[in-house]
Structure formats: C-alpha cells, structure tokens
Amino acid sequence: MTLSQLETDFLAILRAALAGEPAEPESGDYEGLFSLAGEQKLLPFVYEALHEGGAAGQNPALFAGARMQVRNQVLNQTMRSAAFRELYGQMRQAGLHPVVVKGQLCSRLYPKEDFRLSGDDDLWLPEEEMVPCHDFLVGRGLVTQTPEEELAQKGEISYRDPRGPLHLEVHRRLFD
C-alpha cells in the first residue's frame, strides 16, 4: 500500500503533535489535512502542530475556521469527560462495578486528553448489574432508544443525557 502525500503529511504532523512539536507539511494542502484530521477525530492535534509550525499565516481564513472548530470540540469533550467522571463516581458509590473500556481509557494515552475526541463513553458491567445499572442511569435522567422489552437481549445499550453532551454505551460482553 502506497500512501499519498496528504496521508504522509498527516502522519508526520500527527507524530509531531503527539511529541509536542511544531509541524510543517510538504504539500501545503491545509484544507485536505484539516478534512482528514476531522474524519479521524484528531483536528485539535493537527491544528495545534500546524499553528505552532507557523502555517496559520499561509491561509488565515482557513486557520481561523479550524481554530473555532477546535475550541468547540475541545470544550465539548472537556464537558463530556467531566460529566462522565461524575457519573462514573456516582455509579461506584451506588454499588455498581462498571469497567471503563475504549474512549476515556484511551484518552489517557495522549498528551492532551481532551484533544482526543470521542462520540461516546463505553462501559462494561457484569450481567447481574445490567438491570440495576439501567435503573440507575434512567433515574439520573439518561434516556435510551432501546425498548424495555429488548433490554435483556441487547449486547450493547446506548444512553444519552438530553441535558448535556454525555453519551454512554453499556456493554454486556467485551467481545462479540
């Protein structure tokens, strides 16, 4: 498999970003890089590395739009992470034993946790805690689209908080 120049630039910029270093792409295709970074949910990292590398002067309008997107994404992720931590602590206090998988756990691998964007947070619970967990989450105002009669069969149940950005997926099994 051969990588395009855009893909090669993207990987080099991401490597620099994760090392906390500025970056400057060979291609200069900032629009393509931002688009690819958006698809991969890595726009904050790519934007910061390019901005620190001085690329913002090459296309101020594009960078201004990207900066606004990054601010909104990072703010949303910060709020989601805080809401998740609070809810997780409440679950533990209620005697539930959720195990964090994927999202929140993976974000700790990055130098700036809230730059790692996620659409949801994943939890695994022992089978015997699924009904108490459902009751707990619904009692806290979270909603699910899964009908009550299907809860016992679903391997994964999604919940969202209509008052904020929190979206959970509760899993019965870690592996299909």
Side-chain angles (χ1 to χ4, degrees):
M1 175 166 108
T2 304
L3 296 177
S4 69
Q5 185 60 54
L6 179 68
E7 294 164 333
T8 301
D9 281 350
F10 178 77
L11 292 175
I13 292 165
L14 189 55
R15 183 179 303 114
L18 294 174
E21 299 171 354
E24 196 171 322
E26 284 186 34
S27 69
D29 182 3
Y30 302 116
E31 194 169 326
L33 289 165
F34 286 154
S35 178
L36 185 54
E39 290 170 20
Q40 299 301 317
K41 308 278 191 256
L42 295 168
L43 182 60
F45 290 107
V46 170
Y47 171 83
E48 184 177 67
L50 289 173
H51 187 270
E52 294 299 318
Q58 310 251 347
N59 191 334
L62 179 65
F63 274 79
R67 180 179 60 237
M68 197 62 126
Q69 252 188 302
V70 166
R71 284 182 181 171
N72 290 337
Q73 289 175 351
V74 171
L75 176 60
N76 187 284
Q77 185 62 48
T78 301
M79 291 180 350
R80 177 177 296 142
S81 295
F84 175 81
R85 281 191 295 275
E86 181 180 340
L87 183 67
Y88 180 83
Q90 291 171 354
M91 292 174 80
R92 297 288 298 168
Q93 287 176 347
L96 297 169
H97 301 92
V99 175
V100 178
V101 294
K102 300 194 280 187
Q104 289 287 328
L105 191 61
C106 293
S107 68
R108 284 162 177 70
L109 300 172
Y110 292 84
K112 294 183 178 179
E113 290 180 25
D114 287 333
F115 273 31
R116 187 205 180 268
L117 308 174
S118 63
D120 61 28
D121 294 296
D122 296 272
L123 296 172
W124 170 84
L125 279 131
E127 183 62 39
E128 63 273 11
E129 292 186 15
M130 290 299 287
V131 171
C133 176
H134 172 76
D135 294 341
F136 174 87
L137 294 174
V138 170
R140 294 290 186 284
L142 278 76
V143 296
T144 181
Q145 297 297 315
T146 303
E148 195 80 26
E149 61 275 4
E150 293 180 23
L151 289 172
Q153 292 84 25
K154 288 281 201 175
E156 163 186 310
I157 303 165
S158 293
Y159 295 87
R160 65 175 185 78
D161 185 344
R163 303 158 298 190
L166 188 61
H167 179 206
L168 294 177
E169 287 191 352
V170 178
H171 299 262
R172 279 195 153 76
R173 294 176 290 285
L174 288 178
F175 309 102
D176 290 334

